[in-house]
Amino acid sequence: MATTKPTEQDNATCTAVVGELAPDFELPSVPGPTTKLSDYRGKKVVLYFYPKDNTSGCTVEAIAFENNLKKLQEAGYCVLGISRDSISSHEKFKQKANLSFPLLSDADETVCKAYGVLKQKNMYGKTYMGIERSTFLIDENGILEKEYRKVKAKSHVDDLMSDLTE
């Protein structure tokens, strides 16, 4: 998969560039109170952005991450999920889907913009800005190693696991 910097038209505020230091952040999280990316230095991170808690595709993807969490941890990775949903929504989603990894709330879209995941979407003839399902691999030193954009909820985690075991 290509790992190029998004263009200005993709997201004018994107600062995430493969091969460079991943944009740091501190967000409210479940479990809380907050999660900072820089606190994960010394560990590899799978940082994934998803559109909305408790929707079919996002649930499928989250459960796939949970089902592969032990393998990811054995490979040295931590998993962090980010959406624009509230902490209350994350708590319900985490409980309903039985997730054990942190979910972070980016309600003001600061981190979404830094990683260039906000895209124009179209549903039922209405155009709106939403999160494009995306995943970023960050190494132990905080360097963005790889990005996966426009991923499919059903197959993404299997594709990611194949890449990590090659």
mmCIF file of all heavy atoms in Angstrom, residues 14-56:
data_model
loop_
_atom_site.group_PDB
_atom_site.id
_atom_site.type_symbol
_atom_site.label_atom_id
_atom_site.label_comp_id
_atom_site.label_asym_id
_atom_site.label_seq_id
_atom_site.Cartn_x
_atom_site.Cartn_y
_atom_site.Cartn_z
ATOM 1 N N CYS A 14 -3.123 18.338 7.830
ATOM 2 C CA CYS A 14 -2.441 17.070 8.080
ATOM 3 C C CYS A 14 -0.953 17.291 8.308
ATOM 4 O O CYS A 14 -0.280 17.926 7.501
ATOM 5 C CB CYS A 14 -2.651 16.116 6.910
ATOM 6 S SG CYS A 14 -1.844 14.523 7.148
ATOM 7 N N THR A 15 -0.457 16.769 9.418
ATOM 8 C CA THR A 15 0.973 16.857 9.708
ATOM 9 C C THR A 15 1.617 15.476 9.847
ATOM 10 O O THR A 15 2.802 15.380 10.106
ATOM 11 C CB THR A 15 1.211 17.662 11.008
ATOM 12 O OG1 THR A 15 0.491 17.050 12.070
ATOM 13 C CG2 THR A 15 0.775 19.113 10.844
ATOM 14 N N ALA A 16 0.822 14.420 9.665
ATOM 15 C CA ALA A 16 1.346 13.054 9.771
ATOM 16 C C ALA A 16 2.019 12.670 8.467
ATOM 17 O O ALA A 16 1.390 12.654 7.410
ATOM 18 C CB ALA A 16 0.216 12.078 10.084
ATOM 19 N N VAL A 17 3.324 12.387 8.535
ATOM 20 C CA VAL A 17 4.099 12.038 7.347
ATOM 21 C C VAL A 17 4.886 10.765 7.655
ATOM 22 O O VAL A 17 5.618 10.705 8.650
ATOM 23 C CB VAL A 17 5.073 13.180 6.963
ATOM 24 C CG1 VAL A 17 5.908 12.798 5.755
ATOM 25 C CG2 VAL A 17 4.311 14.474 6.714
ATOM 26 N N VAL A 18 4.726 9.772 6.795
ATOM 27 C CA VAL A 18 5.465 8.520 6.968
ATOM 28 C C VAL A 18 6.957 8.814 6.973
ATOM 29 O O VAL A 18 7.455 9.592 6.161
ATOM 30 C CB VAL A 18 5.092 7.513 5.860
ATOM 31 C CG1 VAL A 18 5.998 6.286 5.917
ATOM 32 C CG2 VAL A 18 3.634 7.095 5.989
ATOM 33 N N GLY A 19 7.659 8.230 7.937
ATOM 34 C CA GLY A 19 9.093 8.426 8.076
ATOM 35 C C GLY A 19 9.461 9.542 9.035
ATOM 36 O O GLY A 19 10.626 9.729 9.349
ATOM 37 N N GLU A 20 8.473 10.279 9.503
ATOM 38 C CA GLU A 20 8.710 11.370 10.451
ATOM 39 C C GLU A 20 8.025 11.064 11.779
ATOM 40 O O GLU A 20 7.242 10.121 11.885
ATOM 41 C CB GLU A 20 8.185 12.697 9.878
ATOM 42 C CG GLU A 20 8.949 13.142 8.643
ATOM 43 C CD GLU A 20 8.481 14.490 8.116
ATOM 44 O OE1 GLU A 20 7.679 15.171 8.785
ATOM 45 O OE2 GLU A 20 8.930 14.850 7.011
ATOM 46 N N LEU A 21 8.312 11.895 12.773
ATOM 47 C CA LEU A 21 7.703 11.745 14.087
ATOM 48 C C LEU A 21 6.184 11.896 13.964
ATOM 49 O O LEU A 21 5.708 12.858 13.360
ATOM 50 C CB LEU A 21 8.263 12.793 15.044
ATOM 51 C CG LEU A 21 8.030 12.599 16.531
ATOM 52 C CD1 LEU A 21 8.673 11.302 17.026
ATOM 53 C CD2 LEU A 21 8.612 13.776 17.299
ATOM 54 N N ALA A 22 5.456 10.941 14.501
ATOM 55 C CA ALA A 22 3.993 10.994 14.463
ATOM 56 C C ALA A 22 3.513 12.155 15.329
ATOM 57 O O ALA A 22 4.084 12.409 16.398
ATOM 58 C CB ALA A 22 3.399 9.681 14.979
ATOM 59 N N PRO A 23 2.498 12.886 14.885
ATOM 60 C CA PRO A 23 1.973 13.987 15.704
ATOM 61 C C PRO A 23 1.526 13.484 17.078
ATOM 62 O O PRO A 23 0.752 12.521 17.165
ATOM 63 C CB PRO A 23 0.781 14.496 14.898
ATOM 64 C CG PRO A 23 1.043 14.064 13.493
ATOM 65 C CD PRO A 23 1.790 12.760 13.615
ATOM 66 N N ASP A 24 2.038 14.109 18.122
ATOM 67 C CA ASP A 24 1.671 13.709 19.480
ATOM 68 C C ASP A 24 0.313 14.306 19.820
ATOM 69 O O ASP A 24 -0.143 15.255 19.185
ATOM 70 C CB ASP A 24 2.726 14.188 20.482
ATOM 71 C CG ASP A 24 2.617 13.484 21.828
ATOM 72 O OD1 ASP A 24 1.907 12.450 21.926
ATOM 73 O OD2 ASP A 24 3.233 13.969 22.791
ATOM 74 N N PHE A 25 -0.323 13.728 20.804
ATOM 75 C CA PHE A 25 -1.628 14.216 21.241
ATOM 76 C C PHE A 25 -1.913 13.726 22.647
ATOM 77 O O PHE A 25 -1.275 12.792 23.131
ATOM 78 C CB PHE A 25 -2.740 13.742 20.292
ATOM 79 C CG PHE A 25 -2.811 12.244 20.142
ATOM 80 C CD1 PHE A 25 -3.420 11.439 21.099
ATOM 81 C CD2 PHE A 25 -2.247 11.634 19.024
ATOM 82 C CE1 PHE A 25 -3.471 10.065 20.956
ATOM 83 C CE2 PHE A 25 -2.293 10.248 18.872
ATOM 84 C CZ PHE A 25 -2.910 9.468 19.849
ATOM 85 N N GLU A 26 -2.871 14.350 23.272
ATOM 86 C CA GLU A 26 -3.427 13.901 24.540
ATOM 87 C C GLU A 26 -4.938 14.048 24.415
ATOM 88 O O GLU A 26 -5.438 15.135 24.144
ATOM 89 C CB GLU A 26 -2.917 14.740 25.704
ATOM 90 C CG GLU A 26 -3.457 14.267 27.046
ATOM 91 C CD GLU A 26 -2.822 14.964 28.240
ATOM 92 O OE1 GLU A 26 -1.963 15.842 28.022
ATOM 93 O OE2 GLU A 26 -3.180 14.623 29.367
ATOM 94 N N LEU A 27 -5.657 12.931 24.567
ATOM 95 C CA LEU A 27 -7.106 12.922 24.404
ATOM 96 C C LEU A 27 -7.787 12.232 25.581
ATOM 97 O O LEU A 27 -7.217 11.306 26.176
ATOM 98 C CB LEU A 27 -7.494 12.163 23.130
ATOM 99 C CG LEU A 27 -7.165 12.801 21.791
ATOM 100 C CD1 LEU A 27 -7.479 11.838 20.655
ATOM 101 C CD2 LEU A 27 -7.928 14.102 21.612
ATOM 102 N N PRO A 28 -9.038 12.631 25.878
ATOM 103 C CA PRO A 28 -9.829 11.885 26.850
ATOM 104 C C PRO A 28 -9.985 10.456 26.341
ATOM 105 O O PRO A 28 -10.118 10.236 25.133
ATOM 106 C CB PRO A 28 -11.180 12.610 26.867
ATOM 107 C CG PRO A 28 -10.980 13.885 26.145
ATOM 108 C CD PRO A 28 -9.770 13.736 25.275
ATOM 109 N N SER A 29 -9.956 9.499 27.274
ATOM 110 C CA SER A 29 -10.008 8.103 26.845
ATOM 111 C C SER A 29 -10.765 7.236 27.836
ATOM 112 O O SER A 29 -10.999 7.612 28.974
ATOM 113 C CB SER A 29 -8.594 7.559 26.661
ATOM 114 O OG SER A 29 -7.886 7.585 27.883
ATOM 115 N N VAL A 30 -11.126 6.059 27.344
ATOM 116 C CA VAL A 30 -11.724 5.015 28.170
ATOM 117 C C VAL A 30 -10.780 3.832 28.075
ATOM 118 O O VAL A 30 -10.593 3.303 26.974
ATOM 119 C CB VAL A 30 -13.129 4.615 27.657
ATOM 120 C CG1 VAL A 30 -13.702 3.497 28.501
ATOM 121 C CG2 VAL A 30 -14.054 5.812 27.633
ATOM 122 N N PRO A 31 -10.095 3.369 29.128
ATOM 123 C CA PRO A 31 -10.174 3.966 30.455
ATOM 124 C C PRO A 31 -9.407 5.282 30.479
ATOM 125 O O PRO A 31 -8.459 5.458 29.719
ATOM 126 C CB PRO A 31 -9.518 2.924 31.348
ATOM 127 C CG PRO A 31 -8.541 2.227 30.451
ATOM 128 C CD PRO A 31 -9.151 2.254 29.079
ATOM 129 N N GLY A 32 -9.779 6.145 31.347
ATOM 130 C CA GLY A 32 -9.266 7.513 31.361
ATOM 131 C C GLY A 32 -8.236 7.736 32.433
ATOM 132 O O GLY A 32 -7.683 6.798 32.974
ATOM 133 N N PRO A 33 -8.017 8.975 32.750
ATOM 134 C CA PRO A 33 -8.780 10.103 32.202
ATOM 135 C C PRO A 33 -8.322 10.525 30.817
ATOM 136 O O PRO A 33 -9.124 10.931 29.991
ATOM 137 C CB PRO A 33 -8.560 11.218 33.218
ATOM 138 C CG PRO A 33 -7.215 10.934 33.812
ATOM 139 C CD PRO A 33 -7.081 9.428 33.806
ATOM 140 N N THR A 34 -7.012 10.427 30.518
ATOM 141 C CA THR A 34 -6.507 10.792 29.195
ATOM 142 C C THR A 34 -5.461 9.789 28.734
ATOM 143 O O THR A 34 -4.912 9.028 29.533
ATOM 144 C CB THR A 34 -5.872 12.206 29.187
ATOM 145 O OG1 THR A 34 -4.744 12.213 30.050
ATOM 146 C CG2 THR A 34 -6.873 13.282 29.600
ATOM 147 N N THR A 35 -5.182 9.838 27.434
ATOM 148 C CA THR A 35 -4.126 9.024 26.838
ATOM 149 C C THR A 35 -3.265 9.938 25.987
ATOM 150 O O THR A 35 -3.781 10.714 25.191
ATOM 151 C CB THR A 35 -4.724 7.898 25.968
ATOM 152 O OG1 THR A 35 -5.473 7.014 26.804
ATOM 153 C CG2 THR A 35 -3.638 7.111 25.256
ATOM 154 N N LYS A 36 -1.941 9.832 26.184
ATOM 155 C CA LYS A 36 -0.976 10.593 25.384
ATOM 156 C C LYS A 36 -0.200 9.609 24.513
ATOM 157 O O LYS A 36 0.276 8.586 25.010
ATOM 158 C CB LYS A 36 0.020 11.327 26.286
ATOM 159 C CG LYS A 36 -0.542 12.522 26.994
ATOM 160 C CD LYS A 36 0.463 13.129 27.953
ATOM 161 C CE LYS A 36 1.628 13.743 27.225
ATOM 162 N NZ LYS A 36 2.520 14.510 28.130
ATOM 163 N N LEU A 37 -0.050 9.937 23.238
ATOM 164 C CA LEU A 37 0.733 9.076 22.353
ATOM 165 C C LEU A 37 2.172 8.962 22.849
ATOM 166 O O LEU A 37 2.751 7.878 22.841
ATOM 167 C CB LEU A 37 0.700 9.604 20.913
ATOM 168 C CG LEU A 37 1.469 8.765 19.895
ATOM 169 C CD1 LEU A 37 0.914 7.344 19.805
ATOM 170 C CD2 LEU A 37 1.447 9.433 18.527
ATOM 171 N N SER A 38 2.747 10.063 23.331
ATOM 172 C CA SER A 38 4.143 10.049 23.780
ATOM 173 C C SER A 38 4.366 9.113 24.965
ATOM 174 O O SER A 38 5.491 8.662 25.191
ATOM 175 C CB SER A 38 4.618 11.461 24.111
ATOM 176 O OG SER A 38 3.788 12.055 25.078
ATOM 177 N N ASP A 39 3.310 8.774 25.705
ATOM 178 C CA ASP A 39 3.438 7.812 26.802
ATOM 179 C C ASP A 39 3.728 6.400 26.296
ATOM 180 O O ASP A 39 4.111 5.526 27.072
ATOM 181 C CB ASP A 39 2.167 7.786 27.658
ATOM 182 C CG ASP A 39 2.011 9.035 28.516
ATOM 183 O OD1 ASP A 39 3.005 9.786 28.689
ATOM 184 O OD2 ASP A 39 0.889 9.275 28.997
ATOM 185 N N TYR A 40 3.548 6.175 25.004
ATOM 186 C CA TYR A 40 3.770 4.853 24.421
ATOM 187 C C TYR A 40 5.152 4.714 23.797
ATOM 188 O O TYR A 40 5.431 3.704 23.151
ATOM 189 C CB TYR A 40 2.680 4.541 23.382
ATOM 190 C CG TYR A 40 1.358 4.220 24.031
ATOM 191 C CD1 TYR A 40 0.490 5.230 24.415
ATOM 192 C CD2 TYR A 40 0.992 2.907 24.307
ATOM 193 C CE1 TYR A 40 -0.713 4.957 25.037
ATOM 194 C CE2 TYR A 40 -0.206 2.616 24.928
ATOM 195 C CZ TYR A 40 -1.057 3.646 25.288
ATOM 196 O OH TYR A 40 -2.240 3.362 25.909
ATOM 197 N N ARG A 41 6.027 5.709 23.997
ATOM 198 C CA ARG A 41 7.395 5.591 23.483
ATOM 199 C C ARG A 41 8.020 4.340 24.093
ATOM 200 O O ARG A 41 7.832 4.047 25.256
ATOM 201 C CB ARG A 41 8.226 6.816 23.839
ATOM 202 C CG ARG A 41 7.821 8.061 23.105
ATOM 203 C CD ARG A 41 8.345 8.067 21.658
ATOM 204 N NE ARG A 41 7.705 9.090 20.863
ATOM 205 C CZ ARG A 41 8.036 10.363 20.856
ATOM 206 N NH1 ARG A 41 9.018 10.789 21.607
ATOM 207 N NH2 ARG A 41 7.388 11.210 20.081
ATOM 208 N N GLY A 42 8.743 3.617 23.274
ATOM 209 C CA GLY A 42 9.315 2.352 23.707
ATOM 210 C C GLY A 42 8.428 1.179 23.321
ATOM 211 O O GLY A 42 8.826 0.033 23.456
ATOM 212 N N LYS A 43 7.229 1.477 22.827
ATOM 213 C CA LYS A 43 6.292 0.441 22.355
ATOM 214 C C LYS A 43 5.849 0.820 20.959
ATOM 215 O O LYS A 43 5.838 1.982 20.587
ATOM 216 C CB LYS A 43 5.060 0.372 23.265
ATOM 217 C CG LYS A 43 5.379 0.004 24.686
ATOM 218 C CD LYS A 43 4.109 0.010 25.517
ATOM 219 C CE LYS A 43 4.452 -0.276 26.981
ATOM 220 N NZ LYS A 43 3.264 -0.225 27.818
ATOM 221 N N LYS A 44 5.457 -0.183 20.185
ATOM 222 C CA LYS A 44 4.899 0.063 18.864
ATOM 223 C C LYS A 44 3.387 0.270 19.033
ATOM 224 O O LYS A 44 2.767 -0.335 19.905
ATOM 225 C CB LYS A 44 5.190 -1.105 17.931
ATOM 226 C CG LYS A 44 6.688 -1.279 17.666
ATOM 227 C CD LYS A 44 6.966 -2.369 16.683
ATOM 228 C CE LYS A 44 7.076 -3.696 17.384
ATOM 229 N NZ LYS A 44 7.529 -4.783 16.510
ATOM 230 N N VAL A 45 2.820 1.120 18.187
ATOM 231 C CA VAL A 45 1.403 1.475 18.319
ATOM 232 C C VAL A 45 0.666 1.262 17.003
ATOM 233 O O VAL A 45 1.143 1.670 15.938
ATOM 234 C CB VAL A 45 1.240 2.951 18.753
ATOM 235 C CG1 VAL A 45 -0.235 3.359 18.801
ATOM 236 C CG2 VAL A 45 1.903 3.191 20.108
ATOM 237 N N VAL A 46 -0.498 0.619 17.096
ATOM 238 C CA VAL A 46 -1.465 0.590 16.012
ATOM 239 C C VAL A 46 -2.499 1.636 16.393
ATOM 240 O O VAL A 46 -3.220 1.473 17.374
ATOM 241 C CB VAL A 46 -2.142 -0.793 15.867
ATOM 242 C CG1 VAL A 46 -3.266 -0.730 14.835
ATOM 243 C CG2 VAL A 46 -1.125 -1.868 15.497
ATOM 244 N N LEU A 47 -2.521 2.735 15.648
ATOM 245 C CA LEU A 47 -3.446 3.831 15.904
ATOM 246 C C LEU A 47 -4.494 3.790 14.802
ATOM 247 O O LEU A 47 -4.184 4.001 13.638
ATOM 248 C CB LEU A 47 -2.686 5.162 15.870
ATOM 249 C CG LEU A 47 -3.475 6.428 16.134
ATOM 250 C CD1 LEU A 47 -3.983 6.460 17.569
ATOM 251 C CD2 LEU A 47 -2.597 7.645 15.862
ATOM 252 N N TYR A 48 -5.732 3.465 15.184
ATOM 253 C CA TYR A 48 -6.749 3.385 14.137
ATOM 254 C C TYR A 48 -7.887 4.347 14.396
ATOM 255 O O TYR A 48 -8.293 4.574 15.521
ATOM 256 C CB TYR A 48 -7.216 1.940 13.933
ATOM 257 C CG TYR A 48 -8.325 1.435 14.815
ATOM 258 C CD1 TYR A 48 -9.644 1.418 14.351
ATOM 259 C CD2 TYR A 48 -8.065 0.930 16.084
ATOM 260 C CE1 TYR A 48 -10.669 0.934 15.150
ATOM 261 C CE2 TYR A 48 -9.084 0.438 16.877
ATOM 262 C CZ TYR A 48 -10.389 0.447 16.409
ATOM 263 O OH TYR A 48 -11.398 -0.026 17.194
ATOM 264 N N PHE A 49 -8.346 4.962 13.310
ATOM 265 C CA PHE A 49 -9.442 5.924 13.341
ATOM 266 C C PHE A 49 -10.660 5.261 12.724
ATOM 267 O O PHE A 49 -10.555 4.622 11.669
ATOM 268 C CB PHE A 49 -9.079 7.166 12.515
ATOM 269 C CG PHE A 49 -7.991 8.004 13.124
ATOM 270 C CD1 PHE A 49 -6.661 7.666 12.963
ATOM 271 C CD2 PHE A 49 -8.302 9.146 13.849
ATOM 272 C CE1 PHE A 49 -5.647 8.449 13.506
ATOM 273 C CE2 PHE A 49 -7.296 9.934 14.407
ATOM 274 C CZ PHE A 49 -5.973 9.578 14.234
ATOM 275 N N TYR A 50 -11.796 5.436 13.370
ATOM 276 C CA TYR A 50 -13.029 4.831 12.876
ATOM 277 C C TYR A 50 -14.163 5.847 12.971
ATOM 278 O O TYR A 50 -14.147 6.737 13.817
ATOM 279 C CB TYR A 50 -13.348 3.546 13.649
ATOM 280 C CG TYR A 50 -13.631 3.742 15.116
ATOM 281 C CD1 TYR A 50 -14.942 3.819 15.579
ATOM 282 C CD2 TYR A 50 -12.593 3.851 16.044
ATOM 283 C CE1 TYR A 50 -15.219 3.996 16.938
ATOM 284 C CE2 TYR A 50 -12.858 4.037 17.385
ATOM 285 C CZ TYR A 50 -14.165 4.097 17.826
ATOM 286 O OH TYR A 50 -14.430 4.290 19.168
ATOM 287 N N PRO A 51 -15.170 5.727 12.103
ATOM 288 C CA PRO A 51 -16.217 6.745 12.030
ATOM 289 C C PRO A 51 -17.131 6.884 13.246
ATOM 290 O O PRO A 51 -17.360 8.001 13.708
ATOM 291 C CB PRO A 51 -17.029 6.352 10.796
ATOM 292 C CG PRO A 51 -16.084 5.558 9.954
ATOM 293 C CD PRO A 51 -15.216 4.835 10.941
ATOM 294 N N LYS A 52 -17.675 5.783 13.780
ATOM 295 C CA LYS A 52 -18.707 5.950 14.794
ATOM 296 C C LYS A 52 -18.882 4.687 15.640
ATOM 297 O O LYS A 52 -18.952 3.590 15.117
ATOM 298 C CB LYS A 52 -20.032 6.290 14.122
ATOM 299 C CG LYS A 52 -21.127 6.695 15.070
ATOM 300 C CD LYS A 52 -21.972 7.787 14.464
ATOM 301 C CE LYS A 52 -23.060 8.251 15.383
ATOM 302 N NZ LYS A 52 -22.603 8.941 16.567
ATOM 303 N N ASP A 53 -18.988 4.909 16.948
ATOM 304 C CA ASP A 53 -19.255 3.809 17.882
ATOM 305 C C ASP A 53 -20.579 3.117 17.540
ATOM 306 O O ASP A 53 -21.528 3.758 17.084
ATOM 307 C CB ASP A 53 -19.370 4.338 19.319
ATOM 308 C CG ASP A 53 -18.058 4.810 19.904
ATOM 309 O OD1 ASP A 53 -16.994 4.432 19.383
ATOM 310 O OD2 ASP A 53 -18.107 5.574 20.892
ATOM 311 N N ASN A 54 -20.614 1.815 17.823
ATOM 312 C CA ASN A 54 -21.840 1.018 17.739
ATOM 313 C C ASN A 54 -22.494 0.987 16.361
ATOM 314 O O ASN A 54 -23.700 0.780 16.259
ATOM 315 C CB ASN A 54 -22.860 1.470 18.799
ATOM 316 C CG ASN A 54 -22.414 1.085 20.187
ATOM 317 O OD1 ASN A 54 -22.116 -0.074 20.462
ATOM 318 N ND2 ASN A 54 -22.328 2.062 21.068
ATOM 319 N N THR A 55 -21.714 1.186 15.317
ATOM 320 C CA THR A 55 -22.229 0.980 13.968
ATOM 321 C C THR A 55 -21.686 -0.358 13.472
ATOM 322 O O THR A 55 -20.694 -0.869 13.999
ATOM 323 C CB THR A 55 -21.808 2.123 13.017
ATOM 324 O OG1 THR A 55 -20.380 2.230 13.024
ATOM 325 C CG2 THR A 55 -22.434 3.448 13.444
ATOM 326 N N SER A 56 -22.331 -0.913 12.477
ATOM 327 C CA SER A 56 -21.972 -2.277 12.068
ATOM 328 C C SER A 56 -20.511 -2.412 11.645
ATOM 329 O O SER A 56 -19.794 -3.281 12.139
ATOM 330 C CB SER A 56 -22.910 -2.769 10.966
ATOM 331 O OG SER A 56 -22.845 -1.914 9.845
#
